[in-house]
Every structure is written in C-alpha cells, then in structure tokens.
Amino acid sequence: MRKLIAAMKMSLDAKVEGPDGTADWVEAWSEDYGLTPQIDACLLGGGMYPGYESYWTGIQTKPETPAWLTSEPPTPAEREWADFIKQTPHYVLSSTLETTSWPNTTFLRSVDDVAALKQQPGKDIYVVGGARITASLIDAGLVDELRLIMYPLVAGTDSTALFATSPRRSAELLEVRKLDRGKVELTYGFAS
C-alpha cells in the first residue's frame, strides 16, 4: 500500500498560518523534505488548492518574476518543484470545487476516496496541505508519516494551529535533523 506523507512548515507554537492567512516566516515554498524521489502524486485540501495552483502556475510561466506569496524571485529549489509538479498528478479533497486549470488534477469528494487512492499502485502520496486536510487525515488514521520543518519563532494567538481541533493521538519520532538558521526537521510515524 502507498504511504500518505504529510509535510508542513510551522512555527514553534505549531502554527501553520499567521493572522493574515499566510506563513510569512517561510522564505521559500520548495519541497524541502526530501520527498520528491519517493512520491508520484500530491494531495491538497480545497481551501488551499486555488492559491497553490495560482502560485505554482506563476512560477512555471514566469520563473524570474517575484512570487506573490514571498515577494522574491523563485529559488532554484522552487523552480525545480514547479517543474516536477507540472507532470505530477494532483488530487484535491473538496466537496465544492469543480474546476481547475491544471489538466492532471482530480477531485476527491470524501476521506473514503483518499483511502481508496492509497490502495492504488504507485509511489507514495505527498499531502501538501493545508492544515484542515492534514489534521483530518491524521484524525482518520490515513497519514503514515508527518514531516515538519519547525521555524524558530512564535507566531502568536491569532494564528492557525495545525491541530486546533484534533483529539489526542500518539506518534513515534522517527528522525530529527538540524537545519540552517535555527530550523529543525522532525519526522513522525503514525501507527494504523
């Protein structure tokens, strides 16, 4: 069975978005978790997908133009990810979204559809985000691994927490890696 691997960049206080709806502390939105060789699909929630599609389409079509989310030109790693996802199937868990401009995007309507996707042949699936889909898939017992890049700052009380409404759940620490500028990557496994 394929693994479902969620990965997110977050603050020390487990926030994934600031009060304005962005994680303005993240300097680049590249795939920094080492997942690219082991995945062949991406999964997103309906709340995040429209902005994701817009952001990465902008980088794909104008790779030297500053991106709207960071106000900086895309990094080489962001341009690499933009090329990778151009050929990678995307799945969007949403009961309301109906259209997309990306031809390799499929809409899933329920958590059961995600469970069925895991049963299909292929490499692992990367849960790109957002916070609601990540937490709900963990709560449903579908996420096999969670990779977090923790930034050395406290985002504050008006920010969006990854596990704001999740019940108590245990995870096994699989790996810790110290990164540059005080960041830490944590990898957790979840028992099914």
Side-chain angles (χ1 to χ4, degrees):
M1 181 184 344
R2 301 162 89 174
K3 287 197 318 189
L4 205 58
I5 302 171
M8 301 197 82
K9 297 176 180 180
M10 63 192 316
S11 64
L12 281 175
D13 54 343
K15 304 298 173 65
V16 293
E17 292 179 350
D20 65 351
T22 65
D24 61 356
W25 55 86
V26 175
E27 66 276 357
W29 289 102
S30 45
E31 189 280 291
D32 299 321
Y33 312 97
L35 291 172
T36 306
Q38 74 186 77
I39 62 167
D40 66 359
C42 295
L43 174 62
L44 295 94
M48 181 179 174
Y49 184 75
Y52 174 90
E53 181 184 272
S54 174
Y55 184 80
W56 293 106
T57 298
I59 291 174
Q60 290 166 353
T61 57
K62 297 180 181 178
E64 301 305 320
T65 303
W68 64 266
L69 197 54
T70 62
S71 301
E72 297 289 332
T75 66
E78 284 178 311
R79 289 194 300 273
E80 253 181 65
W81 179 248
D83 289 340
F84 177 81
I85 61 175
K86 207 183 286 189
Q87 279 76 42
T88 304
H90 280 66
Y91 297 88
V92 180
L93 181 58
S94 173
S95 60
T96 58
L97 289 180
E98 300 284 339
T99 60
T100 175
S101 63
W102 283 4
N104 60 347
T105 301
T106 302
F107 293 102
L108 304 177
R109 299 302 180 197
S110 71
V111 172
D112 291 338
D113 292 338
V114 176
L117 180 64
K118 283 184 70 173
Q119 299 297 324
Q120 294 177 8
K123 292 182 174 182
D124 295 333
I125 303 161
Y126 171 23
V127 181
V128 180
R132 283 189 313 248
I133 185 176
T134 300
S136 67
L137 292 174
I138 289 170
D139 293 346
L142 292 174
V143 173
D144 301 286
E145 193 174 291
L146 176 62
R147 297 186 187 189
L148 302 170
I149 293 180
M150 190 84 58
Y151 282 73
L153 68 97
V154 174
T157 57
D158 292 335
S159 302
T160 304
L162 176 56
F163 300 111
T165 60
S166 293
R168 184 175 176 155
R169 182 172 178 95
S170 295
E172 176 187 357
L173 181 62
L174 302 176
E175 184 179 359
V176 177
R177 246 181 3 125
K178 184 177 177 183
L179 305 175
D180 65 337
R181 290 178 276 190
K183 295 179 289 192
V184 176
E185 182 176 355
L186 306 165
T187 302
Y188 292 96
F190 291 100
S192 298

